[in-house]
Amino acid sequence: MNPGTGSPGRRFTTGQVRFLKFVAVGGFAAALNFGSRIGFSTYFPFSIAIILAYLVGMGTAFVLNRLLVFHDSRGPVLVQASWFIAVNVFAVAQTLAISLLLARWLLPAMMWHWHPELLAHAAGVAVPVVTSYFGHKRFSFRNHADSTADRSSPPGRDSKTTLKKDTSR
């Protein structure tokens, strides 16, 4: 039992629930990407099918993240979509860099021979899950009203607030 709650088990914070939803949406979008590629391959060459399937997965991820994960975001859809694409381009670059670093240098240096590309790619895909979450939270789906505030000011103060000098001493 959690003290003071009367409920058994562990309670998740709002941020943890949001991250788990993000992972679930990403997994669903990836599965749709994979499955739609099989369907597209019936009508298109493999490379075109991959691109079309990627667009299906990315579009699905955007819509579901906007509706289910970052539903409190009130930014303009085109701005959100632009940032969503930018964050995903960064994620692809991360995936490629991490996968190549592991497969070409680190795993061989460790004398790892059992499916090094599979392991490297798995790690390369996993790392951007975290960075993409924070990228989408901070850029793609930020609360538009919050984004107009002066971020250099401390919380609770805007750039127009001035501090008065204490002259009582």
Side-chain angles (χ1 to χ4, degrees):
M1 292 255 180
N2 284 337
T5 64
S7 64
R10 184 174 190 277
R11 301 198 120 218
F12 292 104
T13 66
T14 302
Q16 290 169 327
V17 169
R18 182 173 278 190
F19 181 74
L20 292 172
K21 286 180 180 179
F22 178 80
V23 170
V25 163
F28 178 75
L32 196 57
N33 177 335
F34 188 78
S36 66
R37 198 277 311 153
I38 294 168
F40 285 133
S41 288
T42 305
Y43 304 101
F44 299 99
F46 183 64
S47 58
I48 300 297
I50 288 172
I51 292 167
L52 292 173
Y54 184 82
L55 294 173
V56 167
M58 188 184 238
T60 300
F62 175 76
V63 170
L64 292 179
N65 272 302
R66 192 166 196 274
L67 293 175
L68 303 175
V69 181
F70 300 101
H71 51 80
D72 54 345
S73 176
R74 293 183 288 276
V77 175
L78 289 177
V79 171
Q80 290 179 338
S82 298
W83 276 111
F84 192 85
I85 291 167
V87 169
N88 279 293
V89 166
F90 180 71
V92 167
Q94 273 187 303
T95 298
L96 182 62
I98 290 167
S99 297
L100 291 175
L101 176 70
L102 288 171
R104 303 291 184 252
W105 292 287
L106 187 60
L107 293 175
M110 296 170 51
M111 304 299 220
W112 185 276
H113 302 291
W114 187 78
H115 299 286
E117 289 182 350
L118 181 66
L119 179 64
H121 188 220
V125 167
V127 170
V129 170
V130 175
T131 57
S132 292
Y133 171 75
F134 288 109
H136 291 311
K137 182 179 176 184
R138 173 71 171 90
F139 298 109
S140 307
F141 299 110
R142 70 178 176 255
N143 188 334
H144 189 64
D146 291 344
S147 69
T148 60
D150 179 5
R151 295 194 185 276
S152 64
S153 300
R157 298 190 187 271
D158 61 28
S159 59
K160 296 175 186 167
T161 304
T162 58
L163 297 175
K164 293 182 182 179
K165 187 175 180 181
D166 184 6
T167 58
S168 62
R169 292 184 212 182

